Amino acid sequence: MDTALNPLSLQKKLTETLGVRHIIRSFKDEHGTTMDELAAMDREKGTCSYCGVLRKSILNRIALEIGATKLVTGHNLDDEAQTILLNHFRGDMERMVRLAPPATVEGLVMRAKPLRNIPEKEVALYALVNSLPVDFSECPYAGEALRGEIRELLNSFETKHPGTKYSLLRGFDKLVGALAKELPPAKIEKCRICGDTCTEDICQACKLLGRT
């Protein structure tokens, strides 16, 4: 594997090898600002909140533009277990329900997570064994995120109690159906600023960017 290549070059190399169309969009292109500029602002929320919301907005928007019927992401077992535990710690049951397999919603491209049951280490090992051009570097703003502490906690439990991550995922899959009955889906609207599909008058992306 050529580790001298930067992450963008690695992506281009992989998509060229697979014969997959590679579309590049930046926060600057779509939202008029960069992650570095957002990180430097006086803000109440962490950088991950901005990155997550703005990234999802771009992914959905471009998927709609190209007529995609599924938006496939690389979330693995570690990602899912961390998010489940994070939502438990925050008591955020509404967000927990949104992790469930999605229903069809107009204006939102349905997501698929084929690596959902595969541990992060196994995904990385597969990439290394097959010499796939993959970037393993960490986000420069990862230190701000509570997720980092959750990751360390879960990895420690997994070492002492193998199967912890699988158990969290299985428990969530059994629980989420009951939660969904208690917390019915929010009304779907269109953001009055950008027109994106959302559950309020203004979408989260526009709120975070201060658009009114």
Side-chain angles (χ1 to χ4, degrees):
M1 180 169 62
D2 188 354
T3 55
L5 294 173
N6 63 42
L8 186 56
S9 296
L10 289 169
Q11 295 163 19
K12 289 181 177 179
K13 182 178 180 182
L14 180 58
T15 51
E16 286 175 1
T17 300
L18 297 174
V20 175
R21 181 184 175 190
H22 189 194
I23 301 172
I24 302 173
R25 292 289 190 278
S26 69
F27 283 4
K28 192 71 173 180
D29 292 336
E30 300 295 324
H31 295 297
T33 187
T34 67
M35 195 61 242
D36 289 336
E37 291 169 345
L38 290 169
M41 295 187 332
D42 289 331
R43 48 190 166 79
E44 294 182 4
K45 295 184 179 294
T47 48
C48 286
S49 295
Y50 287 85
C51 183
V53 169
L54 301 184
R55 186 178 66 249
K56 289 174 184 175
S57 171
I58 294 175
L59 285 171
N60 190 69
R61 188 179 303 167
I62 303 307
L64 288 171
E65 284 182 10
I66 65 174
T69 57
K70 292 289 189 299
L71 184 52
V72 181
T73 66
H75 292 91
N76 54 53
L77 174 64
D78 292 59
D79 297 323
E80 294 289 281
Q82 290 162 18
T83 301
I84 291 165
L85 191 56
L86 188 59
N87 287 330
H88 274 302
F89 280 4
R90 290 174 171 167
D92 194 340
M93 296 301 102
E94 289 83 0
R95 191 178 294 271
M96 187 84 79
V97 171
R98 292 203 293 270
L99 280 175
T104 301
V105 176
E106 184 178 355
L108 295 178
V109 179
M110 190 176 291
R111 296 193 173 199
K113 301 176 182 179
L115 303 179
R116 185 172 183 263
N117 292 290
I118 310 299
E120 184 175 73
K121 286 184 178 179
E122 291 186 19
V123 176
L125 181 61
Y126 180 90
L128 290 171
V129 168
N130 290 278
S131 300
L132 297 179
V134 179
D135 173 47
F136 292 109
S137 61
E138 187 175 61
C139 170
Y141 302 112
E144 288 188 25
L146 176 58
R147 181 178 288 270
E149 296 179 54
I150 298 291
R151 178 186 295 110
E152 291 180 9
L153 177 65
L154 266 177
N155 285 341
S156 176
F157 266 80
E158 185 69 34
T159 299
K160 298 173 183 176
H161 312 285
T164 295
K165 296 173 185 176
Y166 282 113
S167 295
L168 263 175
L169 186 59
R170 285 196 300 267
F172 164 77
D173 287 342
K174 293 177 182 177
L175 176 67
V176 72
L179 280 176
K181 292 178 181 178
E182 294 295 321
L183 299 167
K187 181 182 177 183
I188 301 300
E189 301 185 25
K190 293 288 184 181
C191 175
R192 64 177 174 81
I193 305 298
C194 69
D196 281 358
T197 299
C198 59
T199 57
E200 299 180 46
D201 184 43
I202 301 177
C203 70
Q204 287 299 312
C206 287
K207 286 182 180 179
L208 287 175
L209 295 173
R211 297 169 179 162
T212 58

